Amino acid sequence: MAISNDLLSSTLYSIRDGEVDELYKKVAFLDGVRKAGGVEVEKGGIKIQRPLSIQEHSTITQLATGYEPVSLAVNDVLRPAVYDWADFVAPIVITKKEEMENSGEYAIVKILEARMKSVMGMLRRETNKQILRGNSTVLSSLNTLNGSVSANGFLEPEFTANQNNVVGGISKTTFPVPGWLNQYVNGGGSLSMDELYNLYIAANSVAPMGDISHLIMKPSVLAQYRQLLFANERFIDTKTLDGGRMGLAFNGALAEQDPEMDFDVTQASGTGAGTFKIGAYMLNYDGIKLVFHSEGDFSVSPFEHISGTTARSANLYVKCQLIADFLGGQGVLANAGV
């Protein structure tokens, strides 16, 4: 008996939540931003707009006698950061030939599950690559943390005086304020606890809220960090994989490795100028968010027959964007470790 589009669609809907959950769990950044409450949903809009307070509103007048004139020099402190949505879709297709060669409802359902896993795996890899490295060839409209690959990248491997990227339409050159300039440490070729703590202290000193919650490291850098802590290694229960997996910690923040962190960055000027490897991102998810459209959060469409073919397909649709509310609480460690 032929399997109806309704049955295929209902099957796809039933496995969608589990596959999306797996997508988050298998990627350090996606899992970290979701667990920290950094995944937000908006119901509509052509663009994503975030109000930022990036200037001091007024000045302080010191009173000696009480008769001094009060300075009324003020600034309009709010600036809107505006982000375009990143839209992408991937089809899930089953052909009539496959249906005939795999008779029985169970066999077709297994094919559907395998196709869904394949599509979600592809999205997971490309999304993670673009967010961390910024070099996906199919998701180039999604923003990236890598400020060396794009003039719109969030975190620059540069000291604050040399940062000039434009994030959300707001230039770091025009508004060189602490909350809009990310922290940076050049490791000088090796990893030390001093470098990590210097980056941590710099990020926390200007963060308007929250604390560093996640370190995403190059695998070899995480290995060196573990060696530094070997004598008194500590672990925390991340509760991210529902299996009690234990994660290495730094000041209470989860430290994880991701193979996508193995890429070159370039510092144009200042101490340690040159090309070298990224070491780690130090992230505060109060300032970095992943925003989804309410109807584009890995949504799936019903199965329909494709005109002119014997196949039928459903679409997996995503409408999202990586956005920044403040960058001063974020850090980049470069040139640390092999």
Side-chain angles (χ1 to χ4, degrees), residues 18-295:
E19 291 302 319
V20 171
D21 194 46
E22 283 298 307
L23 177 142
Y24 278 101
K25 287 181 178 180
K26 290 182 178 179
V27 177
F29 175 84
L30 294 179
D31 194 37
V33 73
R34 182 174 68 163
K35 294 297 185 184
V39 176
E40 298 183 356
V41 177
E42 292 197 0
K43 292 185 178 181
I46 298 175
K47 298 178 183 292
I48 304 169
Q49 183 168 301
R50 311 287 287 202
L52 304 180
S53 179
I54 55 178
Q55 284 184 305
E56 297 294 349
H57 174 60
S58 61
T59 57
I60 297 173
T61 300
Q62 182 168 281
L63 301 177
T65 66
Y67 290 99
E68 291 82 3
V70 177
S71 173
L72 296 178
V74 297
N75 295 309
D76 181 5
V77 300
L78 293 180
R79 291 289 185 280
V82 181
Y83 302 89
D84 292 320
W85 288 103
D87 295 74
F88 42 98
V89 63
I92 301 168
V93 182
I94 294 180
T95 67
K96 183 66 174 179
K97 182 175 182 292
E98 290 170 330
E99 293 184 41
M100 296 178 68
E101 291 174 352
N102 296 272
S103 59
E105 293 184 3
Y106 182 74
I108 302 301
V109 168
K110 294 299 289 184
I111 292 176
L112 178 59
E113 290 178 348
R115 294 282 161 82
M116 180 66 167
K117 289 180 182 292
S118 175
V119 169
M120 293 300 288
M122 174 183 63
L123 287 176
R124 180 181 69 244
R125 292 189 299 272
E126 293 298 329
T127 300
N128 190 47
K129 180 192 296 184
Q130 178 63 18
I131 289 175
L132 297 184
R133 301 178 62 143
N135 66 344
S136 171
T137 58
V138 293
L139 295 183
S140 58
S141 60
L142 184 64
N143 288 331
T144 180
L145 296 174
N146 183 4
S148 67
V149 74
S150 166
N152 304 120
F154 293 2
L155 308 181
E156 298 181 61
E158 293 277 358
F159 297 104
T160 54
N162 300 319
Q163 293 180 26
N164 57 13
N165 278 9
V166 179
V167 178
I170 297 181
S171 169
K172 294 184 180 183
T173 302
T174 304
F175 296 99
V177 294
W180 206 234
L181 301 174
N182 65 267
Q183 309 306 316
Y184 169 72
V185 166
N186 187 307
S190 62
L191 179 69
S192 73
M193 294 301 293
D194 284 345
E195 292 157 359
L196 285 173
Y197 273 106
N198 287 339
L199 190 62
Y200 176 84
I201 292 169
N204 281 339
S205 67
V206 298
M209 52 188 168
D211 200 353
I212 293 297
S213 56
H214 205 182
L215 275 77
I216 304 179
M217 295 177 159
K218 179 182 174 183
S220 61
V221 173
L222 183 65
Q224 290 189 35
Y225 176 56
R226 174 163 288 181
Q227 291 175 357
L228 291 173
L229 296 181
F230 184 76
N232 54 351
E233 198 168 38
R234 297 183 302 252
F235 292 89
I236 60 172
D237 185 356
T238 68
K239 299 179 181 178
T240 56
L241 293 183
D242 297 331
R245 174 183 157 193
M246 306 302 286
L248 198 62
F250 176 80
N251 268 32
L254 177 63
E256 293 186 279
Q257 62 86 25
D258 193 305
E260 294 293 348
M261 293 294 291
D262 189 7
F263 60 92
D264 292 338
V265 295
T266 300
Q267 180 180 294
S269 58
T271 305
T275 300
F276 34 80
K277 296 290 184 181
I278 195 73
Y281 288 140
M282 193 172 283
L283 302 175
N284 178 335
Y285 290 124
D286 287 317
I288 298 289
K289 307 287 186 181
L290 190 60
V291 180
F292 284 90
H293 191 284
S294 58
E295 297 181 7

